[in-house]
Amino acid sequence: MTAFVGERAVSRYIKHPAASTTGILSNGWPIDSGTVITTLENNTHHLQHESLRPLVWSSGSGNTPIFNSAAQMFAGLPEFTVAPPGATFGTHRAIPWDRKTSARFPVFLIADQNIDTGEATLRWITMTMRLTVAANVTSGRAHFALTFSSAPPFQNEPFLHSSAAVTSNALNTVSVTLQPDTPIDLQSMGTITKCRHASTNGTSAQAVVLLGHLWFGWSLGGASVVAASRIESFAAWEVWA
Amino acid sequence: MSALVPDKPDPSILSRVRVGAPVSAHHGRHWANNLAFLLGRNTHVVCNQIFGGNPAFPLGVFKTAVAYRPQPFVKLLYVEVEMGLAASSGGTSSLSITASSGTIHYVGDEPIFDESFAVASSNIEQQNHAIISGFIDVRDLSTGTTIDLIVEVKDVAAKPPDSGIYRLSILEVPLADCAPIEAPTTEIGVDPSWPQSSPPRQLVAGATNHGKGFVRVLHQIDLARSGVRRWRQFSTSEKTSVVAGEAPRWIMASTTPGAEISWGHGGIVEFRGRARHLYTVGGTKQPEPCKIKIRHNGTMNSTLRAVVTPVGGSSVNTDVALNSTGGSWVSVEADLDIPNTGTDQEYTVTFRGWNASAGDHYVSQIAIYTNEA
């Protein structure tokens, strides 16, 4: 069992009558520990266990170019006239993270508290990308990153980055799980944002949220450019550590 | 506001609810914190998608529909739009988001989603694209009914042509606080001071529409069970003809049962995720009950098939009848179960589609959302 969820009596939700049912939990009746443990504690904790969220469901960007060099990959971008130093294979600086090589999706991040240590860490996130790779691609790599800024991971050191080889000159489904384990304080790292808007009296309220950015990146290297390589779909979802 | 919504849940072990120990304020705070977190903080992604293509041409109007079911505990939606790449500098668009039923309130002194705001397109290939973000207020939309959020992008007259949008992200915004005492019928939560509040350690039944009491706690647990929707959806432009580079149409063009859908990029979309598990009956995990909502347009009867496969298990097909719409865009909904028996409760979903007679049947939206009874 994950250390981020309250203890459960059973690994399921225990069915109960509707709260509006007359005669349950009535005034003057004893509230026994069995009711408290099963209906209230267990079910609250089980709902917490099942509160993991889908984060990304997207069709892919379609045809994607093949680059014969890092210089070609970075060419045309106003920030670079040549491949920048540090464009190291497999690192977050290996690709420019432009639209030809990446897609970005924002999410409000959640940190859970470890019941043993008391520290809060971000939920783990599994990211998967489906891509078809042409026969003349000689090197392929999929990149996955989490940043706290919308600036590309090349410009900003990502909070997390992982990459995996794309091994097949055919259909590939590449998955990684980003595993944040650094304790964070969401209140100090987050930003203030609107959370209510009351147009009738002009009042509003604000919440502190941590807006994260999930990046899917890719690089396909080969001798010539053909149109048969394509990015077909993306998905991401939360998982327990 | 009477209660904070915590930014993290409040884990605990069962030994803290010992037989013989009195129920105390600690229990009340624990339930209040966890329920406020589940309903007010653990908010969901409505959609997070790119549209494919990279239009660099006069687009005219781009329109897509995103399914949504308003919830009483969601007041604002955060919307982030990444603009497309225009053919020339100065491409300008206007954005609008409306509801297919009910009224959205636009937020801010200069609302950007009411069509009055001119938005610059991305006009050069670069890492940092033109991104527009803001909020829409959905508190007055009727709950209990699934609607569409209609997103439209239009050219602004006398400006260079726009380029549509590249990515659309809509997120439910977490709440900072809630008011179960002041407004128990419209607000989430439980009075965190109960049962310590006056008189001390008074254990009351309460009622579903009171901010405290055991009945209120049970009511909020039930709301967290059945009221929370997990969205898995994607959509495309509602056009039946497009030019090269535009966000692609999705077309069912075959009369062969089980045929692949053309997604416009030559490939096949497949999604993966984790299914929710609540019940186990007779030792068997019960699947996550969902609805599948499809927007389509065709002049023949057709079938769309969702193929859901638990990781390591056998696939299950759900066929949805798409009857002729006479040339207009129409929504249809059907029941769909997502099995949670796969490894780590994970599954994959793919879609197929075919027609009863020759021709093209278009699809612009596929949404699967939790529909717990």
Side-chain angles (χ1 to χ4, degrees):
Chain A
M1 188 185 99
T2 177
F4 295 94
V5 173
E7 187 180 3
R8 296 172 289 171
V10 292
S11 299
R12 60 182 170 85
Y13 189 91
I14 298 170
K15 289 188 176 182
H16 55 79
S20 57
T21 305
T22 303
I24 64 166
L25 300 171
S26 300
N27 280 343
W29 287 30
I31 179 77
D32 63 282
S33 61
T35 300
V36 171
I37 290 172
T38 57
T39 305
L40 304 183
E41 295 286 328
N42 182 82
N43 283 357
T44 303
H45 292 166
H46 188 73
L47 290 172
Q48 184 188 338
H49 186 270
E50 295 300 323
S51 67
L52 300 173
R53 307 170 299 168
L55 300 176
V56 175
W57 249 55
S58 179
S59 178
S61 52
N63 287 348
T64 191
I66 300 169
F67 298 104
N68 60 22
S69 66
Q72 189 184 52
M73 191 186 307
F74 283 85
L77 293 171
E79 295 89 344
F80 307 104
T81 54
V82 297
T88 309
F89 181 78
T91 73
H92 67 278
R93 295 176 68 83
I95 59 174
W97 302 92
D98 62 346
R99 273 188 201 159
K100 295 194 298 289
T101 57
S102 74
R104 176 183 72 84
F105 301 92
V107 294
F108 288 127
L109 296 169
I110 288 179
D112 298 287
Q113 189 171 359
N114 188 306
I115 199 169
D116 299 323
T117 66
E119 294 174 334
T121 52
L122 294 174
R123 288 180 177 175
W124 288 12
I125 296 172
T126 296
M127 303 172 69
T128 183
M129 177 165 53
R130 180 178 162 102
L131 67 165
T132 290
V133 175
N136 60 337
V137 170
T138 54
S139 66
R141 197 147 193 97
H143 295 259
F144 307 88
L146 169 64
T147 63
F148 297 142
S149 156
S150 61
F154 189 94
Q155 297 173 344
N156 260 9
E157 186 79 16
F159 184 68
L160 289 169
H161 170 264
S162 182
S163 71
V166 177
T167 56
S168 169
N169 287 96
L171 179 64
N172 295 263
T173 299
V174 186
S175 294
V176 304
T177 298
L178 300 180
Q179 303 178 2
D181 58 4
T182 305
I184 68 158
D185 178 4
L186 194 144
Q187 290 295 319
S188 64
M189 295 177 67
T191 55
I192 296 172
T193 189
K194 292 184 177 74
C195 70
R196 290 176 189 265
H197 171 250
S199 58
T200 51
N201 58 14
T203 61
S204 61
Q206 296 176 318
V208 177
V209 298
L210 185 55
L211 186 62
H213 305 269
L214 295 175
W215 294 81
F216 297 82
W218 55 90
S219 62
L220 301 177
S224 61
V225 176
V226 295
S229 291
R230 59 183 171 261
I231 310 301
E232 305 197 351
S233 51
F234 309 103
W237 64 97
E238 294 173 333
V239 297
W240 288 120
Chain B
M1 293 295 170
S2 63
L4 291 175
V5 173
D7 64 21
K8 62 180 75 65
D10 183 13
S12 68
I13 54 176
L14 289 175
S15 60
R16 58 181 288 285
V17 284
R18 295 189 303 271
V19 175
V23 176
S24 70
H26 178 70
H27 296 85
R29 278 198 304 276
H30 176 64
W31 298 325
N33 285 346
N34 275 347
L35 290 169
F37 170 83
L38 286 169
L39 291 165
R41 190 74 195 194
N42 199 84
T43 54
H44 285 261
V45 173
V46 179
C47 77
N48 225 346
Q49 60 171 338
I50 63 173
F51 292 99
N54 194 14
F57 56 90
L59 181 66
V61 177
F62 172 95
K63 175 183 175 184
T64 194
V66 175
Y68 188 56
R69 192 160 176 133
Q71 304 297 332
F73 38 87
V74 176
K75 311 299 181 185
L76 293 185
L77 297 179
Y78 172 75
V79 181
E80 190 174 296
V81 175
E82 192 171 328
M83 304 306 296
L85 182 67
S88 58
S89 176
T92 308
S93 310
S94 68
L95 294 174
S96 70
I97 302 178
T98 55
S100 60
S101 175
T103 302
I104 286 174
H105 302 290
Y106 302 106
V107 178
D109 296 332
E110 291 186 339
I112 56 177
F113 298 121
D114 70 349
E115 204 178 345
S116 66
F117 196 79
V119 178
S121 301
S122 300
N123 58 24
I124 188 169
E125 182 55 56
Q126 56 187 358
Q127 293 169 310
N128 296 307
H129 292 276
I131 294 170
I132 307 301
S133 61
F135 300 87
I136 55 175
D137 182 344
V138 295
R139 75 195 145 144
D140 284 341
L141 296 177
S142 296
T143 59
T145 305
T146 305
I147 62 167
D148 283 311
L149 300 172
I150 308 296
V151 180
E152 284 190 274
V153 183
K154 297 177 183 174
D155 264 339
V156 173
K159 295 282 188 179
D162 77 18
S163 57
I165 56 178
Y166 178 75
R167 176 176 55 79
L168 174 65
S169 302
I170 302 179
L171 318 178
E172 295 176 340
V173 178
L175 292 175
D177 47 22
C178 55
I181 297 298
E182 295 93 329
T185 58
T186 57
E187 287 284 324
I188 59 164
V190 178
D191 178 6
S193 68
W194 178 83
Q196 190 65 41
S197 55
S198 62
R201 296 185 176 175
Q202 180 191 47
L203 303 181
V204 297
T208 58
N209 58 354
H210 292 169
K212 64 181 180 180
F214 283 106
V215 170
R216 176 71 176 187
V217 172
L218 195 60
H219 175 260
Q220 293 292 291
I221 291 174
D222 209 30
L223 186 61
R225 177 193 66 85
S226 62
V228 172
R229 315 270 166 199
R230 295 148 50 84
W231 294 93
R232 300 107 164 167
Q233 70 172 313
F234 66 131
S235 66
T236 193
S237 171
E238 293 204 337
K239 283 188 172 181
T240 54
S241 64
V242 295
V243 298
E246 191 171 355
R249 299 169 298 172
W250 301 343
I251 308 172
M252 301 190 301
S254 172
T255 56
T256 303
E260 301 287 357
I261 296 172
S262 169
W263 303 101
H265 59 31
I268 298 169
V269 299
E270 177 188 89
F271 300 113
R272 192 164 166 175
R274 179 188 184 278
R276 190 192 201 198
H277 164 241
L278 291 187
Y279 304 118
T280 300
V281 177
T284 302
K285 283 183 166 182
Q286 302 300 293
E288 178 181 344
C290 294
K291 287 282 189 187
I292 179 171
K293 178 176 177 294
I294 300 157
R295 273 177 76 86
H296 66 108
N297 183 343
T299 55
M300 75 292 290
N301 293 337
S302 304
T303 301
L304 188 141
R305 170 174 290 174
V307 183
V308 186
T309 308
V311 172
S314 302
S315 60
V316 177
N317 296 335
T318 299
D319 289 349
V320 183
L322 306 183
N323 294 329
S324 169
T325 69
S328 58
W329 291 96
V330 171
S331 288
V332 62
E333 287 193 69
D335 293 330
L336 180 147
D337 288 341
I338 299 185
N340 45 38
T341 51
T343 304
D344 296 328
Q345 296 178 220
E346 291 179 359
Y347 62 88
T348 60
V349 185
T350 59
F351 303 97
R352 309 286 172 84
W354 61 94
N355 306 325
S357 55
D360 290 341
H361 202 132
Y362 304 96
V363 174
S364 69
Q365 174 199 86
I366 300 178
I368 298 175
Y369 63 92
T370 312
N371 189 48
E372 196 71 46

